[in-house]
Amino acid sequence: MPEEKQPISVLVADDSAIYRKLVEHALSGSQFSLIFARSGQEAIQLFKEREPGLVIVDWVMPDLTGIEICEHVRVSSKALYTYVIVLTSRSEKRSVVAALAAGADDYLTKPFDPEELSARAEVGLRIVELHRNIERQNLLLRELALTDSLTGLPNRRAVEEWSTRQLSAAARHGFSFWIAMADVDHFKSVNDTYGHDAGDEVLKKVAQILKSRSRSSDICGRMGGEEFIFILTHATKAKRIGRDRANS
């Protein structure tokens, strides 16, 4: 069965109860989950808390304009893209240009046709879903780029990135930073005698053992071949030796 899509959250910012109700009626489909704001400040707060995929904002409100809200949406640190539709009674080209320049994706004049608003919101939904699919793919590709495909441990690149950050923090804050290398003895003879599939199973088992003895605050990775690495922080030598003996 195909995965059921979750409704996308839509922030509707309008000080008019009538137009909030009209938007609610136009977007009554199950693909939208509506959040309402009666002022610009409330809209900004809800945007921060709920991270909506779509924002439908009135141009004129008592405190902030729709243009200012557009600008806030675009300069925020929100990771996922937000599609913005501005509603207003202004129809002159200068206003359209101003809204688009502020970061709006679309523009609709009041009074609007409910079917047209619904159609434009569905366009926004498709754009948001496209951005989210791209973000998911990027995260997957990054995870694959930092993971050893055989053992599932962090690979050399991941270890180098993590250790660079931690070493800078250790130098700045004065906590311990330990590096331990592990090498599988006589690994070549395993491959030569039992084959590379058996050698792969040995590496997987070693990786499981090493990972089970790693704290979540440390990192254990495969550097290549039969070489593994531990990087430990916030631990004295005595504590690490005692812990390792207890687990042996």
Side-chain angles (χ1 to χ4, degrees):
M1 291 180 61
E3 184 179 349
E4 185 177 349
K5 292 183 178 179
Q6 295 296 319
I8 192 166
S9 58
V10 181
L11 173 60
V12 180
D14 199 315
D15 60 319
S16 168
I18 294 175
Y19 273 105
R20 290 198 302 273
K21 181 59 69 174
L22 289 173
V23 172
E24 181 180 11
H25 175 73
L27 304 184
S28 58
S30 59
Q31 71 269 39
F32 299 116
S33 175
L34 302 182
I35 311 162
F36 294 98
R38 297 168 179 78
S39 68
Q41 290 294 345
E42 185 182 9
I44 287 176
Q45 184 62 33
L46 287 172
F47 176 79
K48 179 180 178 181
E49 295 173 357
R50 307 291 290 274
E51 298 188 347
L54 269 69
V55 172
I56 300 175
V57 58
D58 185 28
W59 184 301
V60 179
M61 283 187 289
D63 49 356
L64 299 175
T65 67
I67 296 297
E68 290 172 318
I69 295 174
C70 282
E71 292 171 343
H72 173 82
V73 168
R74 293 301 172 229
V75 301
S76 73
S77 59
K78 186 169 175 285
L80 298 176
Y81 189 77
T82 300
Y83 194 89
V84 181
I85 301 174
V86 173
L87 300 179
T88 182
S89 57
R90 304 181 182 186
S91 58
E92 65 273 15
K93 185 175 293 186
R94 183 175 59 183
S95 297
V96 175
V97 171
L100 297 176
D105 296 284
D106 203 354
Y107 185 98
L108 193 59
T109 56
K110 293 180 176 182
F112 56 81
D113 180 88
E115 291 185 359
E116 183 178 4
L117 176 59
S118 177
R120 290 174 184 264
E122 287 177 1
V123 170
L125 175 61
R126 292 196 294 271
I127 297 296
V128 168
E129 288 180 339
L130 176 62
H131 276 274
R132 292 184 176 183
N133 286 335
I134 292 173
E135 182 63 22
R136 281 192 290 268
Q137 291 297 320
N138 287 340
L139 288 174
L140 177 60
L141 290 173
R142 176 163 177 79
E143 182 178 346
L144 291 173
L146 299 175
T147 303
D148 177 61
S149 59
L150 177 64
T151 64
L153 292 177
N155 61 18
R156 185 187 190 107
R157 177 181 174 185
V159 170
E160 288 176 349
E161 289 187 5
W162 186 90
S163 60
T164 298
R165 294 192 301 269
Q166 289 296 316
L167 186 57
S168 296
R172 193 164 56 246
H173 300 293
F175 58 78
S176 62
F177 187 92
W178 293 81
I179 298 176
M181 297 294 297
D183 186 276
V184 181
D185 290 340
H186 312 298
F187 182 70
K188 185 177 184 302
S189 65
V190 174
N191 282 333
D192 292 342
T193 305
Y194 301 104
H196 289 280
D197 288 343
D200 288 348
E201 290 303 316
V202 169
L203 293 176
K204 290 178 185 178
K205 184 61 177 178
V206 170
Q208 290 175 4
I209 294 171
L210 295 177
K211 187 175 182 179
S212 69
R213 302 198 175 192
S214 301
R215 301 179 305 176
S216 58
S217 58
D218 299 330
I219 192 170
C220 172
R222 183 186 178 201
M223 299 302 284
E226 71 274 25
E227 295 180 345
F228 297 85
I229 187 171
F230 270 114
I231 300 181
L232 320 167
T233 60
H234 300 281
T236 65
K237 183 177 181 180
K239 286 182 179 179
R240 292 306 306 173
I241 291 174
R243 182 177 179 274
D244 291 342
R245 284 176 176 169
N247 290 328
S248 61

